Amino acid sequence: MDYVYTNPAQPTGGSPAASVESPTVHIPNNAGYPPNMTAAPPAADPATQQQYLYQQQLIMQQQQHIAQQKQQQQNQQANSQYAAGQPEAHFQRSTDGLPRSAMDRSASAKLRLENFYKGTLAQTIERNQRRIEVEKKLQSEPGSTERKNRQLLSLGRKESQYLRLRRTRLGLDDFVTVKVIGKGAFGEVRLVQAADTGKIYAMKTLRKSEMFKKDQLAHVKAERDVLAESDSPWVVQLYFSFQDSQFLYLIMEFLPGGDLMTMLIKYDIFSEPVTRFYIAECVLAIEAIHKLGFIHRDIKPDNILIDKDGHIKLSDFGLSTGFHKTHDSQYYQRLMEGVQNSHGMESINLTMSLKDKDKIATWKKNRRTLAYSTVGTPDYIAPEIFLQQGYGQECDWWSLGTIMFECLCGYPPFCSENPHETYRKIMNWRETLYFPDDQPLSREAEDLIRRLICNPEQRLGRNGAQEIKAHPFFYGVNWDRIRSQPSPHVPQLRSITDTSYFPTEDLEAVPDAVDAMNHTYAQTDNSAQKDLAFVGYTFKRFDYLLTRNAI
């Protein structure tokens, strides 16, 4: 609808006031005015039209004022009813009467939608951050504008290809098992080869059914998150994660040097220079985890792996926590409401050790068996974790002190005859921490151990790793270049699939292939509801796909 404004011809003479005329407004019949406002007669002169429109505007203002007064009266009435205890009538939303199946489907849809949009938002932020980094790099580099634009276009194409690869599904058939190299309480670790590229990886498998039985849902999510978020050289690199109806899979880098526990079993004790090197690298590794906002809580020689150059990397974050809601066991208990769980609270079990010096050899012999058991090894766990009264990142520094003690003395400081004795010695560390006379330590080494195995309020590292780095024991350590320095122990490898540094002779009974068919978890009626706990587990690393020219 068009409104045509025309100005009448101005007279050539007369006063300036006489030359100012009001415009003539031609209003169509179907202009759509409110009911109480009608168009002026077409034949009226401009002055009459202006007066008529002014009157209609007054009428509309009066109606608006009346409506506002009416609304105010209604609000006052509602407030008086509320003050008198008469709640305002409104629609009550309730799930009463809905079947359990509908509630489960609703919860599933809600969780999956939240995860989808959360993941999409995180990917968008990461994508924008990568573009910003490339733009900053191009600004500081010489070159023509055309060449820089080509690089930005190339980045855009790679991002698009990455999005397509994210939609592809990885499965067990994409990897061929070479050998079983490790076994834990909830699954195995296998050396595998990618079927398409021939790349070598370490594949960790976790049974979903065991995750539910042992109430490990929060822990397995925390492990996946810390591996996915970390880009540190001190943490084992996670490349992919996926799942099927029975198992969770983590595809990680293969570190052929074995672990620190294997070295301790082989060499018994380390000299102080060797101990200084490995403990210094452990300090940097633990610091990297803490900077991500995580606590490992299970630092021990089994979880300190050795790469091909002899440097360490942290692994096995099954007991770690990052203080996210998905890292809390109660979150999954609420999520699985109505689904039976065998355990309702988190627990850390004790191990069986020996205390007498003449039985330490037997303890060492059984050390590998303890690592494979579901009981675990608590010799390195801080006492505040057992108390379950709250703890922080300083609990990892206690574990580092016990590892340093074992490196220099040949056994952990609190190895005992039975689980209760181990617990008692850890809780009474002031009386039970004893340095053997036949293994003399330097004053600096003993002081560092005592300042790590102590109350959390006085423990070194409670205010950051810099406190530990400044200790005299680490005098001469080049913290910035230690990873580029030669390691005291460099693995001698015969091939890229060499597993000689892993005790594979103890794993002959473990089948090479993952038994993904013979499992009862997939046949349970509530397996779909249980799978809600693993929503968002899938992961693909962008920079790794970029370096291997997959995008």
Side-chain angles (χ1 to χ4, degrees):
M1 190 64 62
D2 296 330
Y3 297 87
V4 182
Y5 294 84
T6 61
N7 288 324
Q10 297 181 358
T12 57
S15 65
S19 63
V20 179
E21 300 288 346
S22 299
T24 302
V25 182
H26 300 280
I27 304 177
N29 293 332
N30 56 350
Y33 275 90
N36 295 325
M37 182 176 179
T38 59
D45 58 80
T48 304
Q49 289 179 346
Q50 280 192 342
Q51 184 180 7
Y52 180 80
L53 292 174
Y54 177 72
Q55 292 175 352
Q56 296 298 319
Q57 290 176 357
L58 291 178
I59 294 174
M60 291 183 64
Q61 291 176 358
Q62 291 176 356
Q63 290 178 343
Q64 291 176 358
H65 180 67
I66 294 173
Q68 290 177 358
Q69 288 182 338
K70 185 176 181 181
Q71 183 65 38
Q72 290 177 357
Q73 292 176 357
Q74 292 177 352
N75 293 339
Q76 291 176 357
Q77 184 179 3
N79 293 334
S80 61
Q81 291 178 354
Y82 180 80
Q86 299 177 2
E88 183 180 357
H90 61 275
F91 178 73
Q92 297 285 347
R93 292 181 173 87
S94 175
T95 58
D96 296 340
L98 294 178
R100 178 67 189 181
S101 59
M103 297 294 296
D104 292 343
R105 289 195 299 270
S106 174
S108 175
K110 178 178 181 293
L111 185 63
R112 294 179 188 277
L113 284 172
E114 288 177 350
N115 177 76
F116 173 78
Y117 286 107
K118 179 182 178 181
T120 302
L121 179 60
Q123 294 169 26
T124 303
I125 295 174
E126 293 174 0
R127 189 161 55 248
N128 291 338
Q129 185 63 33
R130 287 193 289 265
R131 181 178 178 86
I132 292 173
E133 292 175 358
V134 171
E135 289 176 345
K136 289 181 178 179
K137 181 181 177 182
L138 292 177
Q139 287 178 359
S140 61
E141 293 180 351
S144 64
T145 304
E146 183 181 358
R147 183 183 67 84
K148 295 179 179 181
N149 289 336
R150 285 199 302 267
Q151 293 190 23
L152 290 176
L153 290 175
S154 175
L155 176 64
R157 288 192 295 268
K158 290 176 180 178
E159 293 285 2
S160 299
Q161 181 65 13
Y162 175 63
L163 292 176
R164 285 190 287 270
L165 285 175
R166 282 185 60 89
R167 292 192 290 269
T168 61
R169 289 181 175 271
L170 281 177
L172 194 58
D173 296 336
D174 295 317
F175 301 92
V176 179
T177 301
V178 178
K179 201 171 189 179
V180 179
I181 59 175
K183 181 178 181 296
F186 309 110
E188 300 83 29
V189 179
R190 290 173 170 81
L191 181 66
V192 299
Q193 187 173 23
D196 55 349
T197 63
K199 296 284 186 178
I200 298 298
Y201 303 100
M203 181 176 72
K204 183 177 182 179
T205 60
L206 300 170
R207 298 182 186 88
K208 288 184 176 181
S209 58
E210 293 296 323
M211 297 296 102
F212 280 100
K213 289 179 182 178
K214 305 298 183 180
D215 193 20
Q216 296 294 308
L217 300 177
H219 296 156
V220 72
K221 187 62 169 61
E223 179 180 26
R224 180 265 183 204
D225 288 348
V226 68
L227 291 174
E229 294 178 20
S230 172
D231 195 22
S232 171
W234 302 106
V235 178
V236 175
Q237 193 87 68
L238 174 67
Y239 297 132
F240 312 104
S241 63
F242 58 94
Q243 59 180 299
D244 56 26
S245 59
Q246 295 97 8
F247 290 94
L248 302 172
Y249 302 92
L250 295 169
I251 306 299
M252 302 176 290
E253 65 175 320
F254 171 56
L255 301 179
D259 54 37
L260 191 62
M261 182 181 69
T262 303
M263 293 181 60
L264 287 171
I265 293 175
K266 181 178 180 180
Y267 297 105
D268 196 19
I269 61 173
F270 295 161
S271 64
E272 285 201 9
V274 173
T275 301
R276 182 180 296 107
F277 177 85
Y278 286 116
I279 296 300
E281 291 204 332
C282 288
V283 170
L284 294 174
I286 296 173
E287 182 184 26
I289 296 299
H290 291 175
K291 286 182 177 179
L292 291 174
F294 288 86
I295 305 176
H296 194 290
R297 300 198 303 178
D298 196 24
I299 303 290
K300 56 186 179 180
D302 318 46
N303 298 335
I304 301 174
L305 302 185
I306 311 297
D307 66 9
K308 63 181 180 61
D309 298 319
H311 297 277
I312 69 103
K313 290 194 176 189
L314 285 181
S315 69
D316 197 352
F317 296 85
L319 286 182
S320 63
T321 180
F323 303 107
H324 301 290
K325 70 174 184 178
T326 55
H327 302 165
D328 184 2
S329 298
Q330 294 183 358
Y331 167 80
Y332 294 95
Q333 293 173 11
R334 293 189 296 267
L335 181 65
M336 297 292 107
E337 184 180 2
V339 180
Q340 293 183 354
N341 289 321
S342 59
H343 297 280
M345 61 180 299
E346 176 184 351
S347 62
I348 299 178
N349 296 319
L350 298 174
T351 187
M352 180 177 292
S353 303
L354 300 173
K355 65 176 181 178
D356 298 332
K357 183 178 177 181
D358 57 347
K359 297 181 180 180
I360 289 178
T362 306
W363 178 87
K364 292 180 179 179
K365 180 180 179 181
N366 296 331
R367 181 67 175 84
R368 182 67 66 176
T369 304
L370 290 173
Y372 293 158
S373 69
T374 58
V375 176
T377 54
D379 301 86
Y380 312 94
I381 296 179
E384 58 263 28
I385 295 181
F386 290 122
L387 292 175
Q388 297 185 356
Q389 295 179 354
Y391 49 86
Q393 297 175 340
E394 63 274 2
C395 68
D396 287 339
W397 301 123
W398 168 287
S399 303
L400 182 66
T402 60
I403 294 174
M404 181 176 173
F405 184 100
E406 182 175 1
C407 290
L408 295 172
C409 300
Y411 55 90
F414 306 112
C415 55
S416 305
E417 187 176 18
N418 55 64
H420 298 289
E421 184 67 14
T422 301
Y423 173 81
R424 187 194 67 80
K425 292 182 70 173
I426 292 176
M427 300 308 297
N428 297 277
W429 56 268
R430 295 176 183 84
E431 294 79 21
T432 57
L433 179 59
Y434 170 75
F435 290 84
D437 296 332
D438 58 346
Q439 296 292 341
L441 306 182
S442 67
R443 182 173 56 185
E444 293 81 8
E446 182 175 342
D447 179 75
L448 178 58
I449 293 174
R450 290 188 181 277
R451 297 187 68 179
L452 292 175
I453 303 178
C454 63
N455 281 329
E457 294 82 7
Q458 288 82 36
R459 192 174 302 158
L460 277 185
R462 66 190 183 278
N463 298 318
Q466 196 61 37
E467 294 181 345
I468 302 176
K469 295 178 183 179
H471 192 274
F473 178 76
F474 295 111
Y475 176 78
V477 173
N478 189 338
W479 296 98
D480 297 328
R481 297 181 56 84
I482 188 172
R483 195 165 188 89
S484 61
Q485 296 176 350
S487 169
H489 169 74
V490 179
Q492 303 299 315
L493 305 173
R494 296 184 297 270
S495 66
I496 60 174
T497 59
D498 189 349
T499 60
S500 58
Y501 290 93
F502 293 88
T504 56
E505 64 276 0
D506 300 333
L507 305 172
E508 295 178 354
V510 181
D512 289 339
V514 180
D515 187 8
M517 300 301 294
N518 186 19
H519 209 276
T520 58
Y521 174 78
Q523 278 72 38
T524 58
D525 295 335
N526 54 11
S527 61
Q529 179 71 6
K530 287 184 176 181
D531 276 338
L532 291 179
F534 306 110
V535 170
Y537 194 80
T538 303
F539 170 77
K540 293 185 178 71
R541 186 174 292 275
F542 174 82
D543 52 0
Y544 175 70
L545 295 174
L546 182 63
T547 54
R548 74 169 193 170
N549 296 324
I551 54 179

